[in-house]
Amino acid sequence: MKMPHGIMKKLPEDVILCIFLRIPVKSLMRFKCVSKNYYTLLQSTTFINLHLNRTTTVKDEFILLKRSFKDDINQYKTIFSFLSGDGDYDYLNPIFSDFDVPNMTDTQSIIFDQLIGPCHGLIALMDDFTTIIFNPSTRIFRLLPPSPFDRPKGYHRSIKCLGFGFDSVVNDYKVVRISEFLKDDCYGYVQVVEENVEIYELGIDCWRELDHVNQQFPTIFWVPCSQIFYMGTFHWIAQRVILCFNMSTEIFHHIRMPDPCHNIRNHSLVILNESLTLICYRSVAPTSDPIEDLMEIWILKDYDVSESWVKKYTIRSLPIKIPLAIWKDNLLLFQNRSGYLMVYDLRTDNVKELNIHGCPESMRVTVYKENLTIIPSGSESSTPVHKF
């Protein structure tokens, strides 16, 4: 959108505000350089929140795709692709050049990393040791400092799960990490001695341990796309339940899975029709038994009410390895067993393989809308932000 600066200067401030809310972030970044007044407005918390919460449609949605390629023995190249569908899922068009992701190069990272968000505008890419917070619209990112808490002497630490979300009460972002301390008994068997929860708050640049955890966590499954932030709460797939952590109260609870899903090995969490949604699937090779190849999609109609699960779709014989996301409320994105990105239309049953490839199990997808959210930097000594 091009408009002479002289004309803009004559417009009332509320009109300028309405114009700014309707133009792409790339153009807004340029307007920051036009005048000091525009810079102040576009950097203000008021405008950033207005822009984040503006009315949008599915046409305003973009796809962030993370995938990896083998670069050397036990070394991988991980990239972000920024894509737009332009209303046609037969082709996904790049809106930026691909970006090489730092600090995510080994086998452990590409298979067990998690892409989480958007949470109040920001997205996190995480593995056992590394957390990168970024805004895909402004292309600003920050590598978070590692936790300072070490395992007790003589113990092993195992990370059970990771989470990232926004606390609307304190107006800050939080990273949560659940781990367990293990010790070999006198017979050489490993025993869980203690479970531990750590919280990192971006705004104050500080790690702390949660001291009121007095429960034993269920078995949590660390598989791709098995966690999601929704309704101020982080969710993880666990054994027969979804483990939940409220980012504001910092209290755990759980939601029971639908009974028919208990005997299905693989589960993913997505959002469909603005509701928490559970995908139950098998990622093994096709079988001669059609029941074995079924995928089920369940929607939780009333949040936090386990009895309100409703089976929305039953899908047969998809070559699925990992469900990735549901886009535009009807397009299921998934990686197939050959490593290609595929799209399945829930309304028409059409399936399409796209010419986008990555190492099997390495793809992650999140659907986002443009925003100007600033990554909190905490203190002056905190890790700096960068642009990619």
Side-chain angles (χ1 to χ4, degrees):
M1 177 179 182
K2 294 183 178 179
M3 185 174 292
H5 177 49
I7 295 177
M8 290 283 286
K9 283 179 66 176
K10 297 176 184 178
L11 295 175
E13 186 172 326
D14 58 339
V15 175
I16 293 175
L17 191 65
C18 288
I19 293 172
F20 281 169
L21 288 174
R22 287 167 169 77
I23 62 178
V25 164
K26 189 175 181 179
S27 299
L28 290 177
M29 303 298 281
R30 291 172 180 162
F31 269 108
K32 285 185 178 184
C33 305
V34 171
S35 74
K36 196 174 286 187
N37 287 340
Y38 290 167
Y39 180 86
T40 302
L41 172 64
L42 296 172
Q43 285 286 106
S44 68
T45 302
T46 300
F47 181 80
I48 289 172
N49 286 334
L50 282 172
H51 189 268
L52 179 66
N53 297 305
R54 72 196 185 283
T55 301
T56 57
T57 68
V58 292
K59 293 181 179 179
D60 301 305
E61 293 180 345
F62 300 96
I63 291 173
L64 174 68
L65 169 68
K66 171 260 164 187
R67 53 192 165 134
S68 301
F69 304 93
K70 194 156 190 177
D71 208 22
D72 201 350
I73 299 175
N74 294 326
Q75 287 291 307
Y76 291 81
K77 179 180 181 180
T78 297
I79 65 170
F80 281 145
S81 298
F82 306 85
L83 307 170
S84 169
D86 293 333
D88 183 359
Y89 65 82
D90 284 348
Y91 301 96
L92 293 177
N93 305 309
I95 56 175
F96 294 125
S97 300
D98 288 346
F99 167 69
D100 291 355
V101 181
N103 304 97
M104 297 279 182
T105 59
D106 60 23
T107 309
Q108 189 79 1
S109 292
I110 71 148
I111 295 177
F112 294 105
D113 60 355
Q114 306 288 3
L115 186 65
I116 300 169
C119 303
H120 209 68
L122 300 183
I123 293 171
L125 181 63
M126 316 171 76
D127 67 11
D128 279 16
F129 306 104
T130 304
T131 300
I132 302 170
I133 308 294
F134 60 98
N135 182 327
S137 306
T138 61
R139 306 184 73 186
I140 299 294
F141 73 94
R142 179 181 164 206
L143 179 65
L144 299 190
S147 168
F149 303 111
D150 200 3
R151 57 183 172 82
K153 189 174 181 180
Y155 290 79
H156 314 286
R157 180 197 289 271
S158 173
I159 307 299
K160 296 189 69 170
C161 61
L162 305 161
F164 170 68
F166 184 74
D167 180 348
S168 59
V169 175
V170 300
N171 199 37
D172 198 5
Y173 297 87
K174 293 178 179 178
V175 170
V176 57
R177 186 170 82 162
I178 303 176
S179 57
E180 56 190 10
F181 295 122
L182 311 170
K183 192 172 185 179
D184 298 333
D185 64 16
C186 58
Y187 300 103
Y189 294 103
V190 175
Q191 291 186 330
V192 177
V193 178
E194 181 183 341
E195 292 180 310
N196 171 265
V197 180
E198 297 165 295
I199 305 290
Y200 176 80
E201 296 185 53
L202 270 71
I204 59 176
D205 186 34
C206 181
W207 281 96
R208 58 183 168 85
E209 293 181 300
L210 207 59
D211 56 7
H212 60 264
V213 180
N214 55 0
Q215 67 183 85
Q216 184 175 4
F217 294 110
T219 300
I220 302 169
F221 298 113
W222 189 313
V223 294
C225 310
S226 61
Q227 68 296 302
I228 201 166
F229 178 73
Y230 174 73
M231 296 286 286
T233 300
F234 204 84
H235 306 78
W236 296 273
I237 292 291
Q239 190 169 29
R240 295 178 174 256
V241 299
I242 298 170
L243 180 64
C244 311
F245 178 73
N246 185 292
M247 284 289 175
S248 297
T249 64
E250 298 185 351
I251 292 174
F252 288 93
H253 68 284
H254 69 263
I255 300 170
R256 291 198 321 275
M257 287 185 186
D259 289 341
C261 295
H262 291 171
N263 296 323
I264 299 178
R265 181 177 179 182
N266 297 301
H267 306 87
S268 287
L269 290 170
V270 297
I271 302 300
L272 175 60
N273 298 330
E274 300 184 356
S275 296
L276 187 66
T277 300
L278 179 68
I279 300 178
C280 308
Y281 68 102
R282 292 174 174 84
S283 63
V284 296
T287 68
S288 57
D289 184 351
I291 296 177
E292 286 291 311
D293 286 337
L294 289 181
M295 172 193 288
E296 297 179 349
I297 298 180
W298 294 73
I299 292 180
L300 189 64
K301 301 294 286 185
D302 298 315
Y303 179 67
D304 225 1
V305 180
S306 300
E307 293 75 21
S308 69
W309 286 109
V310 174
K311 184 161 64 173
K312 181 74 171 177
Y313 298 103
T314 299
I315 304 166
R316 299 181 184 278
S317 301
L318 284 181
I320 192 163
K321 186 64 179 177
I322 309 171
L324 299 172
I326 293 181
W327 178 39
K328 299 184 178 181
D329 272 345
N330 70 297
L331 301 176
L332 172 64
L333 303 175
F334 65 95
Q335 186 175 21
N336 69 15
R337 300 181 187 110
S338 301
Y340 281 91
L341 180 65
M342 298 192 71
V343 183
Y344 173 78
D345 193 319
L346 295 168
R347 295 172 186 161
T348 66
D349 287 331
N350 290 333
V351 61
K352 173 81 174 181
E353 182 179 279
L354 304 180
N355 191 27
I356 299 175
H357 185 268
C359 289
E361 299 186 74
S362 73
M363 282 189 182
R364 309 287 182 269
V365 162
T366 189
V367 178
Y368 72 95
K369 297 179 181 181
E370 285 198 324
N371 69 89
L372 291 165
T373 302
I374 297 172
I375 302 174
S377 57
S379 62
E380 290 184 3
S381 61
S382 63
T383 52
V385 295
H386 305 276
K387 186 162 186 174
F388 51 79

